[in-house]
Amino acid sequence: MLSKYCWWRDAVIYQVYVRSFLDSTGDGVGDLAGVRAGLPYLKKLGVDGIWLSPFYPSPQHDHGYDVADYCDVDPLFGDLAEFDLLVAAARRLGVKVLLDIVPNHCSSEHPWFREALASAPGSAARARFHFADGRGPDGAEPPNNWHAMFGGPAWSRITEPDGRPGQWYLHMFTPEQPDWNWRTPEVAAEFDRVLRFWLDRGVDGFRIDVAAGLYKHPSLPDSDDPEADARTRDSVNPLAWNQPEVHDVWRHWRAVCEEYTARDGRERLLVGEVSVPTAREHAKYVRPDELHQAFFFDLLSAPWNADAFRKVISEAMADIAGTGSTVTWVLNNHDQVRTVTRYGEPAPAGSGLGTARARAAALLMLALPGAAYIYQGEELGLPEVVDLPDDVLTDPIFRRTGSRARIRDGCRVPLPWSGQASPFGFTSGAEGAKPWLPQPDYFAEHATDRALADTRSFWHLYRDGLQLRSALPQLGEGAMRWLDTPPGVLAFERGDGLVCAVNFGTAPTPAPVAGVPLLSSEPCPAGVLPGSTSAWWLSDL
């Protein structure tokens, strides 16, 4: 087992959504060369590493999460030579590089799936996926009643090579993303090859998409609540997710990572996207011989309420940290409404209640023991773009359901870097070049050049919080202790007297707090936290 004191235990990782970060070619889509150009910016911000969204060859039905080749770079984003330059540049700056790997499903353009379509029922090629005969006299009904996460049935029927209606295949997201059958050993062996391909190129680890998936119930029975996944857009069908066999996969992947660590002393990281019902179930994925980390989404989904935050933080510290791992905190990612909007911003102007709450939540997250992940643009205070026209939407959820509810394009709009009008320095193309999603005019207020020049900006809040986290031994990994507070205030102590306190807006704020900076290491105001010696004081008022 790795040493307790590993870089990833209290690391802060920045999620780079590659197509929306920075475009170096002028085609309106971000790329790996753009990420390399932005590394000094991220180093200045103070993060420990980056997680790159999928850049593999793909027809882009789900923006790269439909992978056609796991061991190459899509020309849209560059090539392997550019990837190697990016890894080398990050290494020089001391920035770790994590790749997004997608083991639950692939693209319908993957060579193995094309081979399966051309093969006969019962063939070895089809055994790599979930093919099954339909129900009813003519097989016209799906094999079971499961629904896909992105809407509609989880099964699609194929036309057999002889032209007759044929078997059905399982896809828990879209028809363009057939699920792998991990009960076939050949699938596990292929992903072993994929891991080693990228580890040999110098990556520091992997973010694992749908890490609670992979295995389905072996008999593929009907669900008692077939629409649960589509209704909640979460992995709640117990027959399709969180099967016990999945833990053997993570034990093997952990052993592969430790094999590489033993060679050169560089610790590799596995962090899973794990959506399970409870913190206790979550903890099973981060046992000492499985994943190093798994995103703890309960903080992200908690309502803005002191009691709710205290409950989910306490459960995480008891159940997850109790395994010997550290909690991996997140407030946002490429699938979620941006924090400013989610916390109550009624308009996209970037000011008001949602903005203040997002600032407080960011510093709260950075003060908690464990690791933290920041989604690109959160450090700029970007709000969700809620008024994109229907004709520019690309999210497969919109294509599958026709509904704008919970679509993800609004948090994926390309970043603003400079200037007063789109493309805000995002693309280096000729005048009039358009980003792949349109940027609203108000992005000018959040552009990076403006944020760096304004010491009161979100960017400086994040940078100062990251600097304090690095400088103060009480922060990062370690214990925490809840403090008694007035109703509506959440406060905990780290180390020797360092206090983080958040006013959730339900309690009066004592007058002296009005003069205390949002980020402070000064003594707490009188009457707020009696007896504390110092504070990291946050308030949403």
Side-chain angles (χ1 to χ4, degrees):
M1 181 169 43
L2 296 180
S3 165
K4 178 181 178 181
Y5 300 102
C6 299
W7 66 267
W8 47 266
R9 293 183 64 84
D10 59 0
V12 178
I13 307 296
Y14 185 96
Q15 182 191 353
V16 176
Y17 194 69
V18 176
R19 63 168 43 238
S20 296
F21 186 71
L22 184 60
D23 169 26
S24 72
T25 63
D27 64 357
V29 178
D31 46 53
L32 294 180
V35 177
R36 179 159 60 95
L39 285 175
Y41 162 81
L42 298 176
K43 179 67 175 178
K44 185 174 184 179
L45 181 63
V47 298
D48 299 298
I50 57 174
W51 146 31
L52 301 174
S53 63
F55 51 76
Y56 316 109
S58 165
Q60 302 293 318
H61 290 293
D62 190 20
H63 292 168
Y65 285 92
D66 49 324
V67 181
D69 182 348
Y70 287 86
C71 294
D72 205 349
V73 175
D74 195 301
L76 184 67
F77 304 118
D79 53 28
L80 283 171
E82 180 55 52
F83 174 81
D84 291 340
L85 290 174
L86 169 58
V87 172
R91 185 73 52 79
R92 287 193 297 270
L93 291 172
V95 175
K96 309 291 186 181
V97 177
L98 308 182
L99 303 193
D100 208 323
I101 193 166
V102 189
N104 180 73
H105 50 266
C106 65
S107 166
S108 55
E109 297 299 314
H110 191 285
W112 278 10
F113 190 71
R114 293 203 302 267
E115 180 185 355
L117 294 179
S119 299
S123 63
R126 290 201 179 177
R128 298 166 178 156
F129 302 92
H130 294 279
F131 278 86
D133 295 332
R135 296 192 287 194
D138 56 358
E141 298 296 323
N144 67 28
N145 65 354
W146 298 359
H147 279 230
M149 190 86 77
F150 291 170
W155 295 89
S156 288
R157 196 175 193 186
I158 70 166
T159 300
E160 297 292 352
D162 62 6
R164 293 181 301 172
Q167 288 191 306
W168 298 70
Y169 69 90
L170 179 70
H171 49 82
M172 293 305 298
F173 291 87
T174 72
E176 295 83 13
Q177 295 167 290
D179 280 41
W180 292 108
N181 181 5
W182 275 80
R183 298 185 187 279
T184 299
E186 194 177 3
V187 173
E190 174 63 7
F191 275 93
D192 194 81
R193 182 184 73 87
V194 171
L195 289 183
R196 293 177 185 278
F197 177 86
W198 293 109
L199 289 169
D200 288 341
R201 300 193 90 92
V203 303
D204 297 286
F206 302 93
R207 177 267 186 184
I208 304 165
D209 189 59
V210 195
L214 281 60
Y215 281 86
K216 277 62 179 174
H217 191 287
S219 60
L220 300 174
D222 277 345
S223 170
D224 291 337
D225 187 3
E227 297 185 10
D229 285 345
R231 183 177 63 252
T232 62
R233 238 203 64 218
D234 202 358
S235 50
V236 295
N237 177 357
L239 303 170
W241 315 105
N242 199 28
Q243 296 292 299
E245 298 93 333
V246 75
H247 295 282
D248 291 332
V249 177
W250 309 137
R251 291 186 183 99
H252 176 70
W253 285 27
R254 178 69 173 256
V256 171
C257 286
E258 293 193 1
E259 173 190 328
Y260 277 79
T261 296
R263 293 182 190 176
D264 58 17
R266 288 176 44 232
E267 296 129 10
R268 276 46 168 214
L269 168 65
L270 298 173
V271 55
E273 181 196 33
V274 174
S275 296
V276 290
T278 66
R280 184 164 298 177
E281 194 70 24
H282 180 116
K284 295 179 181 178
Y285 285 82
V286 292
R287 289 176 288 197
D289 61 344
E290 296 194 39
L291 302 178
H292 302 83
Q293 297 177 332
F295 298 125
F296 184 64
F297 294 119
D298 291 28
L299 186 67
L300 182 158
S301 59
W304 187 257
N305 175 280
D307 292 338
F309 269 57
R310 179 165 178 159
K311 178 177 184 294
V312 299
I313 292 169
S314 295
E315 288 176 350
M317 294 302 299
D319 293 329
I320 299 170
T323 67
S325 181
T326 53
V327 185
T328 306
W329 307 101
V330 290
L331 288 172
N332 213 289
N333 60 37
H334 63 292
D335 289 332
Q336 303 295 330
V337 173
R338 284 200 177 273
T339 311
V340 164
T341 302
R342 196 174 74 242
Y343 281 148
E345 187 63 55
S351 60
L353 187 62
T355 295
R357 288 177 173 178
R359 290 171 67 96
L363 290 178
L364 168 65
M365 178 180 72
L366 294 177
L368 288 168
Y373 281 66
I374 300 169
Y375 177 51
Q376 69 177 38
E378 291 294 291
E379 82 283 6
L380 301 175
L382 288 179
E384 186 85 355
V385 181
V386 297
D387 55 356
L388 291 168
D390 285 357
D391 61 354
V392 305
L393 296 178
T394 62
D395 193 329
I397 297 173
F398 180 69
R399 297 198 309 269
R400 294 274 289 168
T401 67
S403 171
R404 297 176 65 100
R406 303 185 72 179
I407 59 173
R408 302 163 295 169
D409 290 289
C411 69
R412 300 176 176 186
V413 174
L415 296 184
W417 289 87
S418 61
Q420 297 299 314
S422 184
F424 297 112
F426 165 72
T427 178
S428 59
E431 185 175 353
K434 294 182 178 180
W436 69 278
L437 279 176
Q439 300 159 304
D441 292 342
Y442 62 79
F443 264 31
E445 302 171 23
H446 303 274
T448 299
D449 59 348
R450 186 166 175 174
L452 267 65
D454 179 5
T455 58
R456 298 287 298 173
S457 70
F458 261 89
W459 191 90
H460 281 274
L461 182 87
Y462 269 90
R463 198 278 305 270
D464 292 349
L466 288 168
Q467 285 187 335
L468 266 181
R469 185 180 170 100
S470 297
L472 297 176
Q474 299 98 322
L475 296 171
E477 188 173 355
M480 61 175 286
R481 181 174 67 87
W482 292 113
L483 300 176
D484 293 329
T485 58
V489 174
L490 187 71
F492 55 87
E493 186 176 43
R494 301 290 312 279
D496 185 17
L498 187 84
V499 172
C500 172
V502 182
N503 181 354
F504 279 77
T506 58
T509 305
V513 175
V516 177
L518 193 63
L519 175 60
S520 174
S521 58
E522 298 299 318
C524 274
V528 179
L529 298 172
S532 62
T533 57
S534 61
W536 185 334
W537 176 259
L538 325 177
S539 174
D540 74 343
L541 300 177

